[in-house]
Amino acid sequence: YAIQRKKEAMEQSVSKILPLLLDTRTRLFTAGINGNVGELCKFMVVSNKNVKDLMQKDPESNNTILHRICTKNRSKAFSFLQSVLPKEEFIQYLCQANMTDQRPYEYSVRYGSISIAKKIFDIKEVRAKIENN
C-alpha cells in the first residue's frame, strides 16, 4: 500500500512540475527577469545552448531577455550579455523593438534602471542610432 501511495504522489507532483523544469524558454526568461547570471550560464552549459539561444524572442510579446533585464535593473545580467555577445549584435538587440514598439534602452529609462541606462548610453554606437531615429 505504501508503495502505491508513493507512486501516486510522484505521478501527481512530477506531472505538474516536470513540464516547467523542461520548458527551456520559461527557464530562460525567468533567469533573465531575475538577473540570475549563474542560471543563464547553467542554461548554456547544461542545456547545451549557445548565445543566440539566450536571445530568443518570446512569441507572445517579441521580447528578448534583454527587454526584461532592462525593466528590472539587472546590471550583472546585462553585463554578462554584453560580454558574451559580439558588440554589433548586442547593439542590434538593444535597438530591437518588441510588439509594442518598445526597445530595451527605452525600458531602462521608463522603469528607472539607472545603472543599465548609463551603460547603454555610454555606448557611442547606441547613442548614434538613437539620434538618427
Side-chain angles (χ1 to χ4, degrees):
Y1 179 74
I3 293 172
Q4 178 151 355
R5 296 293 297 157
K6 282 185 181 181
K7 181 181 175 189
E8 289 173 2
M10 285 286 283
E11 287 173 352
Q12 290 174 357
S13 65
V14 170
S15 66
K16 292 177 184 175
I17 295 171
L18 191 58
L20 292 175
L21 294 174
L22 294 177
D23 185 5
T24 55
R25 191 173 65 226
T26 301
R27 284 181 40 224
L28 171 65
F29 280 94
T30 301
I33 203 160
N34 290 332
N36 190 338
V37 175
E39 187 64 28
L40 292 173
C41 290
K42 185 175 158 185
F43 178 79
M44 290 175 68
V45 173
V46 173
S47 300
N48 196 26
K49 303 291 183 182
N50 61 29
V51 178
K52 299 227 188 272
D53 294 324
L54 284 179
M55 299 308 296
Q56 63 182 288
K57 294 179 184 179
D58 178 17
E60 294 173 13
S61 64
N62 221 22
N63 283 339
T64 63
I65 62 170
L66 200 51
H67 286 86
R68 297 190 181 200
I69 287 169
C70 289
T71 62
K72 297 291 184 180
N73 201 28
R74 305 300 190 210
S75 188
K76 287 182 183 178
F78 181 88
S79 296
F80 170 73
L81 289 178
Q82 189 175 13
S83 69
V84 297
L85 284 165
K87 187 173 185 175
E88 285 303 314
E89 282 185 46
F90 185 72
I91 292 168
Q92 286 177 343
Y93 284 119
L94 279 174
C95 299
Q96 188 175 61
N98 61 11
M99 286 191 180
T100 60
D101 201 34
Q102 299 292 307
R103 290 152 185 80
Y105 67 82
E106 294 172 326
Y107 277 152
S108 69
V109 173
R110 174 185 283 169
Y111 291 98
S113 302
I114 305 301
S115 63
I116 290 179
K118 183 181 181 329
K119 287 180 182 186
I120 291 171
F121 292 109
D122 282 346
I123 303 170
K124 65 181 179 181
E125 293 89 350
V126 173
R127 283 196 317 264
K129 278 192 173 202
I130 294 169
E131 289 171 1
N132 291 335
N133 291 337

